[in-house]
Amino acid sequence: MQNIPVSDLPTSVQFDFTTGIFAPALDLSERRISDLAEMYYDQAAVQKMLQGGNPVIYEIRYHPFVTSNSDMSLGVTRLFPGKVGDEYHMTKGHFHERLDQPEIYFCIHGEGYLLLETREGDFRAERWQPGTITHIPPQWAHRVVNTGSDVLFFVASYHIAAGHDYAAVAQRGFAQVVVERDGKPTFVPNPRRQ
Ligand code: PA5
Ligand code: NI
């Protein structure tokens, strides 16, 4: 994002609880299956979706709040329902570049899980429903999975200076993947790690 406005005054945006869209947003990113291709274990299913029109899996609206001596970002992600093969739609997931940077995620709508994992392999899954707020400590990679039949949207708040490091998650994924088995979300060991 370029030309982030600097203001030392209080700033508000307006959030719509029915859509998960707030305004004004200063930036909008779309992540399509082509952006996430390496994240899913079923590569044949990925290829099929690429040929079928490369759908949007999630979108993120951002509003950075920058003052003369601070930075803070608001990001609202709308993660659409669906699966790639039997693996539920999910965000890419990332570590923060800076080792001292946490984040707050607030689930507003939908259901699923927040997956978290350290570089040492400590893995957690937080069950998410509307109203769940999770503090993500520094040095925990984080990814959201939508296991419901409706859009899942959540608010993220973090320092812009935290930075996003996608490389480790892109290479290895998380310890477990969330797949549909017998019509239910089920955790299984990540086939890419075996
Ligand atoms: O800063 C965050 O953690 C979020 O705003 C995420 O960037 C957002 O949910 C999209 O996920 P990812 O960055 O892993 O694609
Ligand atoms: Ni983050």
Side-chain angles (χ1 to χ4, degrees):
M1 199 180 317
Q2 284 163 5
N3 300 326
I4 298 176
V6 178
S7 169
D8 287 323
L9 297 174
T11 306
S12 301
V13 299
Q14 197 61 37
F15 184 78
D16 182 334
F17 281 92
T18 56
T19 62
I21 293 173
F22 73 83
L26 298 191
D27 200 17
L28 170 65
S29 281
E30 278 183 346
R31 303 249 211 275
R32 294 176 180 272
I33 187 68
S34 55
D35 304 308
L36 298 162
E38 60 195 333
M39 304 291 172
Y40 288 94
Y41 83 86
D42 184 344
Q43 285 297 307
V46 168
Q47 286 310 316
K48 215 166 144 189
M49 283 177 79
L50 283 170
Q51 285 153 18
N54 195 18
V56 175
I57 308 296
Y58 58 101
E59 59 183 27
I60 317 145
R61 284 176 176 74
Y62 300 97
H63 197 303
F65 300 101
V66 178
T67 74
S68 46
N69 63 1
S70 69
D71 74 71
M72 197 72 192
S73 189
L74 168 70
V76 178
T77 301
R78 299 171 75 234
L79 176 55
F80 300 112
K83 294 186 299 271
V84 178
D86 62 3
E87 192 173 5
Y88 292 98
H89 283 183
M90 60 195 185
T91 60
K92 270 181 144 175
H94 57 269
F95 284 94
H96 291 163
E97 280 166 12
R98 272 182 51 172
L99 303 182
D100 61 350
Q101 290 297 312
E103 182 162 5
I104 295 274
Y105 272 9
F106 183 173
C107 176
I108 306 284
H109 184 88
E111 59 184 292
Y113 291 90
L114 170 60
L115 310 185
L116 301 127
E117 189 173 356
T118 64
R119 290 193 193 267
E120 293 71 40
D122 194 355
F123 175 80
R124 301 291 155 94
E126 296 288 313
R127 177 91 184 92
W128 263 24
Q129 58 190 9
T132 309
I133 304 173
T134 308
H135 173 250
I136 301 162
Q139 303 184 47
W140 284 79
H142 37 289
R143 160 180 288 167
V144 175
V145 183
N146 182 352
T147 58
S149 51
D150 204 353
V151 59
L152 185 160
F153 45 85
F154 65 96
V155 174
S157 181
Y158 57 100
H159 284 300
I160 299 166
H164 292 75
D165 172 3
Y166 291 98
V169 173
Q171 237 168 32
R172 285 159 46 83
F174 282 69
Q176 296 187 30
V177 296
V178 192
V179 296
E180 187 181 79
R181 293 284 150 83
D182 300 325
K184 284 195 295 247
T186 306
F187 283 80
V188 299
N190 180 356
R192 289 166 62 199
R193 293 225 191 152
Q194 284 165 354

